[in-house]
Amino acid sequence: MSTPIIPDPIHAGIAKGWKIIDAATLTKDRTLEADVVIVGSGAGGGVTAEILARSGLSVIVVEEGALKSSSDFKMREAEAYPGLYQESAARKTADKGINILQGRTVGGSTTVNWTSSFRTPPATLDWWRRHYALPDASPEAMAPWFAMMEARLQIADWPGAPNENNDILRRGAGKLGISTGLIRRNVKGCWNLGYCGMGCPTNAKQSMLVTTIPAALEQGATLITRARAERFVFQGERADELLCQGLDAAGVHPNGRSLRLRARHYVVAGGAINSPALLLRSNAPDPSGQLGRRTFLHPTVISAAFFPQRVEAWAGAPQTVYSDHFLAGAPDGPMGYKLEAPPLHPLLLATTMNGFGDTHAQMMRDFPHLHGMLALLRDGFHEDAPGGSVRLRGGGSPELDYPLTDYLWDGARRALLSMAEIQFAAGATGVQPAHEMARRYGSWREAKAAIAALPQGLQLTRVASAHVMGGCAMSGDERLGVVAPDGRYRGLSNVSVHDGSLFPTSLGANPQLSIYGFTARLASGLAASLTGRPAARLAA
């Protein structure tokens, strides 16, 4: 039986003349002009690009990563992580305490995420209205924007049954009376492969790579890849131009070529580490002192469990079951957490879990029987969860300083206990928390006592995150946010921010749909102000 040929929309678009400049191949410096220059092609930049281009504006999108497409996605970790992620999927906080997974390719993290799609939780929106002077941050006000993006990106209930990895969460929680729900996904014609984190080889995932960026290019937008946005040049309260460096073929080192991008308006959408970093490198005004501060991660702790039956957690839709049971309390009470079941692949699993030698080797031999569960800790709502700060290294590259407090460690301990109890309730023969001093425990009674006694701390508890938010907080109170409610950067008349860095706290949910909805609203307002007519509406 022959392998079916998957049409590659990127190759087709290039063949018909899309305007794409690969800065790695430049032989001379370039100067380009447009109505709007957008930094970043992920959830915020992609949505903004389509809305502005469809509204009749000329658009340039500049992306630090390379343009990869379904023809390049081979479901191999060794190729995907260096090619599609920031710092080869090994970006870390300054103290190396948290590993951060962020996309670095056209489409940004939407190209490599696991498709989980949640609207912003009502409790989070309520907090923003009450504490950050954002009266339009309500479920009712945001519903039309979420609905528009859900239609545009095919976000819907997943019709298939959960794979065994996810069903273990459902079954175990059900036996304990813990509520669960099903995760909506942005997919169309999904093959149920389970390798979403390495780029979708069938173009089923409705990421920015196959939706909004191609739509903008169809409208005449220009895409510049492997180009690093270095700094803005300001003239008074206006950005006069954006200076970019071309990068080498690996997309790492400058190749000696520069680009000067000039526009009526600039949109910063590089993600919640790179966006604050660009503005910091540019010495952007910061009267509130909040630029780069209050950056949040949903610090994530992990619990592995071993089952008699084969789990094969690498196969099937990656995340389809969740539980918000432990988010029911007040946001500023004890730290709450969301439970999900992530896909497991050998390289990421082996480098995330603790142990070495024979113990680690045995875990990997048991890989087909291994189930994974994670807890996303909801940070940003308590005085002892202030998040982190983006700062610049000597060469101007960003790093995130993210202190881990006793308040967070208390949440981590409770989360590890909750996950272990659910896993044993589902029939696990052993549970091993991702903690340097933990081992495989054979019963809930043993695990309960051991986890309660484990010291929680830096480099002991394994912490990761794929969700970066904040650093350019949006607020109606200029003392609390560097960005106004319309997305405009305070103190700069022609600069906006359209990405997850806008969020004044974490979300308590996977962020992509929140970014889509808020960006659609902000980009539509920007398009109307620049053109003098209503913005184009997006449709499936």
Side-chain angles (χ1 to χ4, degrees):
M1 182 176 179
S2 61
T3 301
I5 297 174
I6 308 299
D8 189 324
I10 302 301
H11 284 190
I14 292 172
K16 70 182 193 178
W18 282 352
K19 290 187 284 187
I20 299 174
I21 298 171
D22 181 356
T25 65
L26 290 178
T27 58
K28 62 181 180 179
D29 298 344
R30 296 284 301 272
T31 298
L32 299 171
E33 297 185 2
D35 291 322
V36 183
V37 166
I38 301 169
V39 180
S41 63
V47 171
T48 298
E50 181 175 7
I51 288 174
L52 298 186
R54 288 192 183 279
S55 297
L57 294 160
S58 59
V59 172
I60 296 173
V61 179
V62 57
E63 167 60 47
E64 185 176 279
L67 174 59
K68 303 284 188 178
S69 64
S70 55
S71 300
D72 304 300
F73 302 148
K74 305 299 184 184
M75 300 166 57
R76 296 178 185 139
E77 291 180 278
E79 296 176 8
Y81 299 150
L84 302 175
Y85 286 78
Q86 291 283 353
E87 301 177 37
S88 297
R91 172 170 269 185
K92 298 184 185 301
T93 50
D95 59 14
K96 308 298 187 285
I98 306 177
N99 195 60
I100 303 171
L101 298 175
Q102 280 185 296
R104 183 176 180 269
T105 186
V106 174
S109 292
T110 74
T111 299
V112 295
N113 70 22
W114 297 336
T115 75
S116 300
S117 302
F118 295 92
R119 293 189 179 191
T120 312
T124 300
L125 293 173
D126 178 65
W127 186 271
W128 294 354
R129 290 197 306 277
R130 291 189 290 113
H131 293 271
Y132 287 92
L134 294 171
D136 291 333
S138 70
E140 297 75 23
M142 290 304 303
W145 302 107
F146 289 140
M148 182 175 81
M149 294 313 304
E150 286 163 348
R152 174 67 182 95
L153 302 175
Q154 311 288 324
I155 294 172
D157 296 336
W158 172 240
N163 65 3
E164 179 66 2
N165 193 48
N166 281 266
D167 205 48
I168 285 169
L169 168 56
R170 184 192 63 81
R171 296 197 308 266
K175 289 185 177 180
L176 297 172
I178 294 171
S179 61
T180 59
L182 298 177
I183 299 175
R184 306 178 83 206
R185 308 180 62 219
N186 59 315
V187 294
K188 179 181 180 182
C190 178
W191 288 30
N192 211 23
L193 298 173
Y195 285 71
C196 304
M198 295 163 220
C200 181
T202 69
N203 298 307
K205 184 196 302 187
Q206 299 298 283
S207 68
M208 303 299 93
L209 175 65
V210 298
T211 57
T212 61
I213 294 298
L217 291 168
E218 285 289 327
Q219 297 294 318
T222 298
L223 173 65
I224 304 173
T225 64
R226 288 193 280 197
R228 179 175 294 147
E230 282 295 317
R231 64 182 176 90
F232 288 107
V233 176
F234 299 127
Q235 294 291 336
E237 293 188 348
R238 289 185 59 81
D240 187 56
E241 60 184 4
L242 176 67
L243 304 182
C244 303
Q245 289 183 329
L247 300 177
D248 59 14
V252 177
H253 301 292
N255 64 4
R257 300 302 176 192
S258 64
L259 298 100
R260 308 174 79 93
L261 306 181
R262 294 173 177 158
R264 293 167 56 195
H265 200 91
Y266 298 85
V267 175
V268 179
I273 290 178
N274 290 350
S275 286
L278 170 60
L279 292 160
L280 287 167
R281 282 196 301 271
S282 305
N283 293 314
D286 182 23
S288 68
Q290 294 296 308
L291 178 59
R293 301 185 65 184
R294 290 188 61 79
T295 303
F296 301 103
L297 287 176
H298 288 153
T300 299
V301 293
I302 302 108
S303 183
F306 303 86
F307 285 81
Q309 73 274 21
R310 290 178 68 89
V311 177
E312 299 183 357
W314 61 84
Q319 287 187 161
T320 54
V321 175
Y322 74 98
S323 176
D324 280 350
H325 176 86
F326 301 99
L327 289 175
D332 56 350
M335 181 170 270
Y337 43 92
K338 185 185 196 79
L339 300 182
E340 296 175 344
L344 301 180
H345 297 282
L347 195 158
L348 202 57
L349 172 70
T351 55
T352 299
M353 291 301 294
N354 52 299
F356 58 91
D358 290 342
T359 302
H360 194 276
Q362 183 58 53
M363 179 191 68
M364 296 309 295
R365 282 193 289 271
D366 291 337
F367 182 40
H369 298 266
L370 189 60
H371 155 79
M373 195 180 303
L374 55 77
L376 306 170
L377 301 177
R378 180 175 59 184
D379 47 347
F381 296 86
H382 189 279
E383 62 181 7
D384 291 328
S389 299
V390 175
R391 63 193 188 192
L392 301 178
R393 301 184 182 98
S397 64
E399 67 177 0
L400 177 61
D401 181 32
Y402 203 94
L404 298 170
T405 65
D406 289 341
Y407 172 77
L408 185 145
W409 290 127
D410 174 71
R413 184 188 307 281
R414 289 185 287 106
L416 290 171
L417 285 165
S418 298
M419 291 188 287
E421 184 175 15
I422 291 170
Q423 288 166 325
F424 278 116
T429 58
V431 168
Q432 182 175 333
H435 186 288
E436 197 63 27
M437 298 172 65
R439 57 181 178 81
R440 191 184 303 193
Y441 306 118
S443 70
W444 165 231
R445 180 178 179 180
E446 181 188 16
K448 183 178 181 180
I451 294 171
L454 286 174
Q456 300 293 326
L458 188 68
Q459 309 297 349
L460 291 176
T461 311
R462 300 291 178 94
V463 185
S465 182
H467 304 159
V468 191
M469 301 150 283
C472 294
M474 176 172 58
S475 175
D477 185 337
E478 62 184 15
R479 298 168 299 175
L480 301 177
V482 299
V483 174
D486 63 358
R488 301 285 186 122
Y489 188 88
R490 287 192 168 96
L492 295 171
S493 61
N494 67 333
V495 175
S496 296
V497 180
H498 288 184
D499 61 16
S501 68
L502 292 169
F503 300 150
T505 65
S506 79
L507 299 172
N510 307 58
Q512 72 165 342
L513 180 52
S514 291
I515 299 172
Y516 294 146
F518 274 89
T519 296
R521 190 188 77 183
L522 298 178
S524 296
L526 177 60
S529 70
L530 293 176
T531 64
R533 58 183 181 272
R537 293 199 49 92
L538 305 187

